[in-house]
Amino acid sequence: MPLFDGKDKSRYATFTRRTLMTGGAVGAVLGALGVRLYQLQILEGEQFRARAEQNSVSARLVAPLRGRIFDRFGVELANNRRNYRVLIIPEQALEGVEAALDTVGRIILLTDRDRARILRDVAQNKKFVPSTVAENLTWEEFARVNMHLPYLSGIQPDAGETRDYPFGDELSHVLGYVAAVSPKDEERDNDPVLELPGFRIGKRGIEKAYDAKVRGSAGVSRVEVNAYGRVIRELSRDPGSPGADVWLTIDRELQKFVVQRVGAESVACAVMDVQNGDVLALASTPGYDPNLFNVGINATQWRGLLTDDHQPLIDKSLAGLYPPGSTFKPAVALSALDAGAITPDFAVNCSGSLALGNYVFHCWKKRGHGHVDLHRGIAQSCDVYFYNVARRLGIDGIEAGAHKLGLGHFTNIEIPGERAGVIPGRAWKEATYGAPWLEGETLNAGIGQGYVLVTPLQLCTMAARVASGNEVNPRIVRVVGKEVEPRPALKRLAFADDALAAVRSGMNAVTNDPSGTAFRFRIPNPGLEMAGKTGTAQVRKISSAEHLKGVTKNENLPWKLRDHALFISYAPVSVPRYACSIVLEHGAIGHPHVEMVRDILIFAQQRDPLKLTPAYPVNAASLGGASPTRAA
Amino acid sequence: MTHSYAPSRRPPSWFEKFLRVNWGLVLLIAVIASIGCAMQYSMAGGHFYPWAAPQMERFCIGLLILMAVSLVDIRVWMTLAYPAYAISFLLLIAVEMVGHVGLGAQRWIEIGPIQIQPSELMKISLVLALARYLHGLGVEDISKPHRLLVALVMIVAPAALVLKEPNLGTATILLADGVSLLFLAGLSWWWILPSFAGLVATVPVAWHFLHDYQKRRVLTFLNPQSDALGAGWNIGQAEIAIGSGGMDGKGFVQGTQSRLNFLPEKNTDFAFSALGEEFGFMGSVALLVLFAIVMFLGMRIAMASRSQFGRLVAIGVTLNFFFYIMINAAMVMGLIPVVGIPMPLISYGGTAMLTVMFGFGLLMSVHVHRQVEIPRKPGAIL
């Protein structure tokens, strides 16, 4: 049998023909691929190059480190601690945000509420903006997340910094707190750093007032990222600038003592350097823990703060308005002496009340004080004496004098939220009530009642001005960053020296004369003696019928209706350095508030923070900070 | 007809065969494989591990296989054609039952330490078996319905099994291999043209038999922007990689797309886009030209063979190689939906490399034994 025949020949011919056709087809396909390459790489190359660049380089904001807040000796009142957190970037969660949360929820605890919040954040943000999944994780939790990272698409661990207030509620109203940025904040402020996940800004106190400086400015890090958003390397970094540190005039030790001494009472207390207005302690108790607002306060805690009748959310020292009561009397006396309305020898006979037209004005002492001159009038706080002084001086004189002592207007302390209070006058009454001033109202104003409303900080300022004779204003910020806050030169108070001396002598008698209203609570330590003035502010109206029957004692009233107890003082009497004011809300039973001030002023003088070298520089040249050392 | 290699003559020694090997083709394959290893080196960020070194190792093994296969007499391969087909087919059924689930598809089977991908074996076996079957048929026999039916069953049965794995890419290649062999063996145009028309008509029906992920790929392909971060991601990123290469590329080991993992499966299915990114239009076209030369040589070898079996085997493995290239390149350039087909000699992967090198070995065997004449009737092959 022949191996090959015609059949082979014909099929070989067919094969060759068809192979050549196939070869042509192969060539055409390869040509088409080449054309496609030309289209992609030459015609659209630039476009794709740009997209590749976008793909791999991403600019990220670097959160600036928030400036710290120090007390005068360099104790950190607000600082930053490591915050291990986990973020989610929705656009990188390839299986969806829900799935990513399911997975990460197996590694760290996520409650349903957490999930709801995360999903809300994600919905509000752009797809490439990270949202916080969890923060303040322990190192172990954080390490676990990092370990499982290969399975967690869209999840990004992040070691950031968060605000910490090591002393909790001790300084809540001075420092304020930081909290998450609200949509309103973002409208007001177009700093891009606000878009960083979990960024916090100052909402109250110093944190709010100095937020722009303490916040710092965001840096930009240009990083090369891979498809999962993982950073491969950093191409360039503008670190931005950390926020400025703020040095306060506060002495944390004194602040702590004040807060502990007043205990659970509802109290506003200020301690000030009479020479320059440096606020050494400023307390409004009870306070709140500012860390709660940073970490995220829960509903129960928030409701607790809101409904507490001691009002922990209100800064009573600046925003609490109280009738000064008898603590106003030194101001009236000083104004009258200065205006020449009275001399220190001016005397009246107190029978326990004073009649004016149809009205009867009562003295706190029903039986009367008898013969009262200025010294006794202040020492024993005779109301009838001051009714007479006020009548002689007139409301215009009271108004002008009170303003000179810093009452009834903003002290302009650096903490926001301050209220001005009221020193009434003819124009004020006309503007507020559309009615003319009545003489009886002058008498009420003369004993710090009626329309008069002041803040505890104003009272402290007044005490400092009386003590020093200088027009001091309270200041709580000394240094911001490297800049020493400017201090205007102190003016002498526009009161005659002998008038000041007469009032000081009366205030000295309040505590150091056996007839004084606060003699029992004097400072016995030689050289540390304090001068002061007590006061009681009525919370309720006392009718004339009640006056006849006998005024109900505070002990028999519910807490909310009891009088406020006030006290202003300065020490030492000989060379005053420390001024202190206190308002003990609804506390006018005995004199616990005077006892508090006594202890505070003893502590302050024995510690003597004004004689210690402050850690912050006194002038800009020596900036750098020394550790607190006791001056010889 | 010259009888320079008549059966009466003494068969050539191993050494003589060795000299007959088409060394130009071997060199060309080595050059392409070197480019592949270089890409693997680049995609590991300039390191031999984890990809470049094993790839080189496999290429060396592949080269040994190529040489060994090429020296074996073509008639031995013809004898082995049907058994090889039968074994491959049984393995395909086995993978259906005991197959290892990898990447969501049953593609591997483990025998001891070796992982076997029966669908890859089938690519070679199908070419061999079809070539042998068609070798016995004259031009006019092929178009007879019962003959054609046998051939079609030989093609469709394994293709269907592979499709069920599911492995759309390989099933497509098996079908393309088989159909093109029928065409080259001389199937009548009266069969070809109506079938083609019928095929187009059944596309909507076939749609229903696709897996969800396959449907999604097709839909994504038709509108890549519909899911730019999901299924469209692969295509989009591959196009960005290639396109951003421009005329002369970003340079060796400088491709941002591949190095930063924007490119999916950069070292396997999408290796060609990484090459396009780093070497640009010039580099990509140069590679296509090298491939074209390989196919030109393959076709020349096919046409020079004196046996129909040799011709069909040679053209079969050449076209198999071509289909890999065509599908992979079209896929990474966004011309067809994403299917898991590697770029031969460039993509990382052991099985594909060995299959391709085995195929080249057969091609070389045809070349070495191009003078061997084999009778059409069975029974007296050797």
Side-chain angles (χ1 to χ4, degrees):
Chain A
M1 188 183 78
L3 274 173
F4 303 101
D5 52 24
K7 279 185 179 176
D8 281 311
K9 255 194 174 164
S10 83
R11 69 179 187 175
Y12 284 7
T14 305
F15 179 86
T16 305
R17 204 167 51 241
R18 292 202 172 177
T19 299
L20 291 174
M21 286 168 66
T22 308
V26 167
V29 168
L30 289 177
L33 293 176
V35 168
R36 175 65 174 164
L37 279 173
Y38 181 80
Q39 183 195 358
L40 285 176
Q41 300 190 299
I42 308 298
L43 298 183
E44 297 169 12
E46 272 312 302
Q47 216 173 306
F48 282 119
R49 192 173 279 271
R51 282 177 64 188
E53 178 77 4
Q54 274 174 8
N55 245 350
S56 52
V57 177
S58 122
R60 301 186 168 198
L61 281 181
V62 180
L65 204 56
R66 197 171 173 85
R68 291 164 297 176
I69 303 176
F70 296 105
D71 87 340
R72 67 191 292 119
F73 299 120
V75 176
E76 285 182 349
L77 305 179
N79 55 23
N80 304 295
R81 65 174 164 77
R82 276 264 166 214
N83 175 16
Y84 295 112
R85 49 186 195 154
V86 172
L87 310 175
I88 185 164
I89 303 170
E91 101 179 335
Q92 285 166 13
L94 297 176
E95 276 122 47
V97 172
E98 296 261 9
L101 292 182
D102 285 343
T103 322
V104 83
R106 269 177 252 140
I107 302 166
I108 51 175
L109 182 73
L110 287 182
T111 64
D112 287 349
R113 285 178 52 139
D114 292 335
R115 286 184 68 111
R117 179 194 55 75
I118 297 162
L119 292 175
R120 200 178 56 234
D121 284 359
V122 165
Q124 279 170 357
N125 285 334
K126 299 183 194 91
K127 280 193 85 134
F128 59 84
V129 174
S131 300
T132 309
V133 172
E135 56 183 346
N136 299 310
L137 297 176
T138 64
W139 170 246
E140 283 75 19
E141 289 171 316
F142 189 66
R144 267 210 305 279
V145 172
N146 274 286
M147 203 175 73
H148 289 98
L149 212 51
Y151 320 108
L152 298 170
S153 78
I155 296 291
Q156 188 185 317
D158 177 89
E161 303 276 339
T162 192
R163 203 56 158 174
D164 191 40
Y165 303 97
F167 302 121
D169 62 3
E170 213 172 86
L171 280 139
S172 41
H173 293 104
V174 171
L175 300 176
Y177 54 83
V178 294
V181 180
S182 72
K184 250 204 257 164
D185 297 325
E186 266 177 291
E187 261 170 48
R188 262 202 309 273
D189 189 340
N190 53 13
D191 189 342
V193 78
L194 298 189
E195 284 182 20
L196 282 171
F199 195 75
R200 305 280 198 268
I201 59 170
K203 295 283 191 174
R204 285 178 75 160
I206 294 294
E207 293 277 27
K208 180 181 182 181
Y210 287 82
D211 190 59
K213 288 175 178 166
V214 174
R215 185 194 296 171
S217 61
V220 175
S221 154
R222 281 180 73 248
V223 290
E224 197 169 77
V225 294
N226 69 6
Y228 315 114
R230 181 92 42 84
V231 174
I232 304 295
R233 67 194 168 110
E234 195 164 56
L235 300 172
S236 69
R237 187 186 186 88
D238 160 18
S241 45
D245 290 338
V246 171
W247 296 74
L248 301 183
T249 58
I250 292 283
D251 173 20
R252 192 253 150 179
E253 286 298 322
L254 181 59
Q255 177 83 14
K256 176 183 167 191
F257 182 85
V258 170
V259 170
Q260 287 181 350
R261 180 63 187 81
V262 303
E265 297 289 348
S266 178
V267 169
C269 178
V271 181
M272 197 189 282
D273 178 351
V274 302
Q275 296 295 344
N276 59 19
D278 277 4
V279 176
L280 298 167
L282 186 64
S284 172
T285 65
Y288 53 86
D289 183 355
N291 292 307
L292 286 181
F293 291 88
N294 184 18
V295 175
I297 190 165
N298 68 37
T300 319
Q301 290 165 328
W302 176 242
R303 220 175 307 118
L305 289 175
L306 275 183
T307 54
D308 189 331
D309 62 357
H310 284 39
Q311 295 182 301
L313 288 175
I314 292 174
D315 185 355
K316 298 170 192 121
S317 62
L318 309 173
L321 292 182
Y322 303 92
S326 301
T327 57
F328 193 57
K329 286 171 183 166
V332 176
L334 194 53
S335 313
L337 287 168
D338 190 64
I342 59 164
T343 63
D345 300 328
F346 171 74
V348 298
N349 188 49
C350 171
S351 62
S353 65
L354 175 75
L356 184 75
N358 292 332
Y359 292 93
V360 177
F361 290 84
H362 294 273
C363 186
W364 65 269
K365 196 169 183 182
K366 225 179 161 188
R367 284 175 291 125
H369 287 94
H371 179 83
V372 181
D373 62 2
L374 180 74
H375 190 78
R376 267 186 59 130
I378 295 176
Q380 299 187 15
S381 200
C382 175
D383 290 338
V384 169
Y385 183 80
F386 278 93
Y387 293 145
N388 283 289
V389 173
R391 269 182 84 181
R392 283 175 155 252
L393 178 58
I395 187 61
D396 300 335
I398 294 174
E399 189 184 10
H403 278 308
K404 273 203 264 184
L405 285 170
L407 302 175
H409 54 75
F410 293 115
T411 66
N412 291 324
I413 190 164
E414 296 88 338
I415 301 171
E418 189 187 9
R419 294 177 71 181
V422 177
I423 296 298
R426 294 178 203 281
W428 173 86
K429 176 123 191 252
E430 193 66 46
T432 313
Y433 292 100
W437 186 260
L438 304 173
E439 198 179 10
E441 290 166 344
T442 307
L443 269 56
N444 266 333
I447 61 161
Q449 298 279 1
Y451 300 116
V452 186
L453 288 174
V454 298
T455 67
L457 184 63
Q458 287 171 4
L459 286 175
C460 189
T461 307
M462 168 186 153
R465 288 186 178 191
V466 170
S468 66
N470 286 330
E471 207 172 273
V472 291
N473 283 302
R475 285 288 171 265
I476 201 165
V477 174
R478 185 72 179 92
V479 178
V480 177
K482 291 192 182 293
E483 278 168 47
V484 178
E485 294 288 284
R487 291 289 161 97
L490 286 177
K491 282 185 288 192
R492 282 302 287 175
L493 208 52
F495 286 117
D497 281 346
D498 53 346
L500 280 166
V503 171
R504 286 185 199 133
S505 148
M507 287 176 72
N508 183 29
V510 169
T511 45
N512 296 319
D513 187 288
S515 70
T517 50
F519 178 72
R520 270 206 298 146
F521 307 109
R522 69 193 178 281
I523 294 178
N525 314 35
L528 302 186
E529 296 90 345
M530 68 173 177
K533 182 71 197 79
T534 53
T536 304
Q538 274 174 22
V539 172
R540 65 200 178 97
K541 268 239 166 341
I542 298 173
S543 63
S544 47
E546 190 179 336
H547 269 296
L548 286 175
K549 271 197 314 205
V551 178
T552 313
K553 288 203 164 179
N554 268 312
E555 291 92 318
N556 302 327
L557 286 169
W559 183 78
K560 264 282 172 193
L561 294 179
R562 291 177 195 166
D563 298 338
H564 295 318
L566 296 86
F567 189 62
I568 62 171
S569 68
Y570 59 85
V573 170
S574 48
V575 195
R577 273 322 289 272
Y578 299 95
C580 180
S581 69
I582 196 166
V583 174
L584 174 57
E585 285 196 329
H586 314 296
I589 300 169
H591 280 324
H593 62 305
V594 182
E595 271 188 277
M596 289 173 189
V597 170
R598 177 196 65 192
D599 294 347
I600 289 165
L601 282 178
I602 291 174
F603 180 86
Q605 293 182 86
Q606 283 177 342
R607 174 172 161 77
D608 213 359
L610 294 177
K611 292 230 174 72
L612 299 176
T613 311
Y616 61 70
V618 175
N619 55 55
S622 63
L623 242 146
S627 57
T629 47
R630 190 168 277 274
Chain B
M1 201 180 280
T2 51
H3 291 271
S4 58
Y5 192 73
S8 57
R9 294 261 312 258
R10 163 190 73 86
S13 69
W14 291 107
F15 183 68
E16 280 169 322
K17 284 188 180 184
F18 189 71
L19 288 181
R20 284 186 197 167
V21 165
N22 187 335
W23 290 105
L25 180 58
V26 174
L27 182 67
L28 191 56
I29 291 168
V31 167
I32 296 174
S34 306
I35 294 172
C37 290
M39 287 318 297
Q40 298 299 333
Y41 173 84
S42 164
M43 279 176 290
H47 297 287
F48 283 99
Y49 285 93
W51 300 312
Q55 183 83 344
M56 283 191 227
E57 226 169 80
R58 283 181 197 137
F59 176 68
C60 292
I61 296 170
L63 214 52
L64 290 177
I65 292 176
L66 186 152
M67 295 316 299
V69 170
S70 67
L71 298 183
V72 173
D73 195 296
I74 188 170
R75 284 162 293 192
V76 173
W77 292 119
M78 194 165 170
T79 315
L80 291 174
Y82 287 156
Y85 181 85
I87 290 171
S88 302
F89 195 79
L90 288 175
L91 283 174
L92 272 180
I93 292 173
V95 88
E96 187 65 33
M97 295 185 289
V98 298
H100 178 272
V101 177
L103 289 177
Q106 292 194 314
R107 294 179 188 178
W108 287 277
I109 190 163
E110 276 177 48
I111 299 175
I114 310 162
Q115 279 192 341
I116 295 179
Q117 222 170 319
S119 55
E120 290 292 325
L121 285 183
M122 184 48 94
K123 282 178 196 155
I124 300 291
S125 310
L126 179 65
V127 168
L128 282 173
L130 262 185
R132 173 163 184 183
Y133 180 70
L134 295 171
H135 174 86
L137 303 179
V139 179
E140 63 286 0
D141 296 328
I142 294 169
S143 299
K144 287 177 182 158
H146 66 285
R147 304 280 194 194
L148 182 59
L149 187 67
V150 172
L152 283 178
V153 169
M154 285 173 74
I155 298 165
V156 172
L161 280 174
V162 171
L163 185 63
K164 198 164 174 291
E165 275 181 2
N167 188 345
L168 180 62
T170 302
T172 310
I173 286 187
L174 284 176
L175 281 176
D177 281 350
V179 169
S180 46
L181 282 185
L182 290 180
F183 169 72
L184 287 157
L187 184 64
S188 161
W189 288 105
W190 289 109
W191 281 110
I192 295 170
L193 294 177
S195 309
F196 187 74
L199 198 69
V200 173
T202 55
V203 164
V205 181
W207 176 253
H208 287 286
F209 291 97
L210 290 180
H211 279 256
D212 276 348
Y213 84 96
Q214 290 165 332
K215 285 184 188 173
R216 203 159 52 237
R217 280 180 186 172
V218 174
L219 289 176
T220 309
F221 165 70
L222 295 175
N223 180 14
Q225 300 308 314
S226 66
D227 189 9
L229 286 173
W233 170 263
N234 289 1
I235 293 174
Q237 294 301 328
E239 281 186 21
I240 291 175
I242 297 177
S244 63
M247 177 57 89
D248 46 7
K250 296 178 187 169
F252 190 50
V253 205
Q254 302 299 316
T256 54
Q257 286 286 106
S258 46
R259 197 157 41 83
L260 304 178
N261 286 331
F262 282 96
L263 209 49
E265 303 179 48
K266 58 185 180 186
N267 64 321
T268 57
D269 290 359
F270 286 84
F272 182 65
S273 31
L275 184 134
E277 183 182 22
E278 297 195 347
F279 296 108
F281 182 66
M282 315 244 264
S284 324
V285 168
L287 183 68
L288 289 185
V289 168
L290 291 179
F291 281 142
I293 298 173
V294 168
M295 281 174 276
F296 173 75
L297 293 176
M299 289 178 185
R300 216 177 59 172
I301 289 171
M303 288 189 289
S305 170
R306 296 180 64 119
S307 68
Q308 181 74 346
F309 175 74
R311 290 173 170 233
L312 288 173
V313 167
I315 197 76
V317 295
T318 304
L319 287 180
N320 182 47
F321 185 68
F322 167 71
F323 289 135
Y324 270 109
I325 294 163
M326 178 180 83
I327 292 177
N328 180 274
M331 168 181 91
V332 300
M333 287 191 255
L335 293 171
I336 59 164
V338 174
V339 286
I341 292 296
M343 182 61 93
L345 300 175
I346 303 293
S347 292
Y348 181 80
T351 320
M353 169 73 82
L354 298 184
T355 314
V356 164
M357 293 304 275
F358 194 96
F360 282 129
L362 287 175
L363 180 64
M364 203 59 78
S365 175
V366 172
H367 179 71
V368 169
H369 305 94
R370 59 188 175 275
Q371 306 290 20
V372 174
E373 291 173 345
I374 309 170
R376 190 145 30 90
K377 295 279 178 269
I381 296 170
L382 276 173

